Amino acid sequence: MFSNNHRLTAYWPAILLLLYGLLMSGQVKAWEFYDNKKDDIYVWGGTYTHFSNSESYRGASWLLGAEVVKPNDHVYGLALFNNSFDQFSQYFFYGKVFRYKDTNFHGKITGGLIHGYKGEHRDNLYFNEQLGVAPVIVPGIGYQKNRWGIDLYLLATQRLLLGVGYQF
């Protein structure tokens, strides 16, 4: 059997490649954190369903997120939610939206830090037990018509998150 540290080592090249791709795929100027004339704000909420038979999962009772959408389809934001174990959690992220030409469909990938897994569940995410926060990558697909959107995100290998939002 592999130890958790050995399995984690296998993910580092993919994590570094993803971060490089996100940061180099467009020109992002640090002093243009938010431009109210060019950027949009996407506010969304949702709940998720998991595919685990574990009785320790309680399911999220709520989720609220807000993200800034840049003209080059880079996004950053914050999601507040109850995690699978009914603990208040936060996800601070940065990512990219990939729009499919001539359709309302898109793909999205975000990466960031998650906080809120505590007590007996603090070791459910890599690094969380030592640092109190854990790096995560969240891929998703979605559909947006006018300003309304719906997104489906894959969380690890056991859960899906369904969110509905509005872009201002």
Side-chain angles (χ1 to χ4, degrees), residues 130-159:
Q130 296 86 5
L131 304 175
V133 296
V136 295
I137 296 174
V138 179
I141 57 171
Y143 179 85
Q144 186 169 354
K145 179 140 178 146
N146 301 320
R147 297 244 175 221
W148 288 97
I150 186 166
D151 295 282
L152 184 66
Y153 298 100
L154 176 64
L155 305 177
T157 59
Q158 300 174 350
R159 293 174 293 278

Side-chain angles (χ1 to χ4, degrees), residues 12-154:
W12 277 113
I15 291 170
L16 293 174
L17 184 61
L18 172 69
L19 290 174
Y20 175 79
L22 288 173
L23 294 174
M24 302 313 275
S25 61
Q27 295 178 355
V28 178
K29 297 179 182 176
W31 59 88
E32 291 181 5
F33 190 67
Y34 175 73
D35 183 341
N36 64 353
K37 294 179 182 172
K38 296 179 184 176
D39 301 341
D40 288 329
I41 295 178
Y42 186 64
V43 178
W44 55 283
T47 187
Y48 67 85
T49 304
H50 59 81
F51 296 111
S52 172
N53 291 329
S54 173
E55 293 180 17
S56 64
Y57 291 111
R58 295 190 182 115
S61 58
W62 59 272
L63 178 137
L64 293 173
E67 58 192 51
V68 173
V69 182
K70 305 296 271 177
N72 62 1
D73 286 330
H74 286 249
V75 297
Y76 62 88
L78 174 69
L80 305 173
F81 60 98
N82 276 2
N83 66 30
S84 302
F85 308 105
D86 201 29
Q87 299 172 324
F88 177 68
S89 300
Q90 311 84 42
Y91 174 46
F92 179 71
F93 60 90
Y94 176 80
K96 175 92 170 118
V97 178
F98 301 92
R99 302 193 189 279
Y100 300 114
K101 292 184 178 188
D102 301 324
T103 72
N104 294 327
F105 291 97
H106 62 268
K108 183 188 289 185
I109 189 161
T110 63
L113 296 175
I114 195 166
H115 173 264
Y117 286 77
K118 299 177 181 169
E120 65 183 278
H121 306 294
R122 71 181 182 275
D123 64 349
N124 283 24
L125 301 170
Y126 291 116
F127 295 119
N128 190 61
E129 189 170 7
Q130 296 86 5
L131 304 175
V133 296
V136 295
I137 296 174
V138 179
I141 57 171
Y143 179 85
Q144 186 169 354
K145 179 140 178 146
N146 301 320
R147 297 244 175 221
W148 288 97
I150 186 166
D151 295 282
L152 184 66
Y153 298 100
L154 176 64

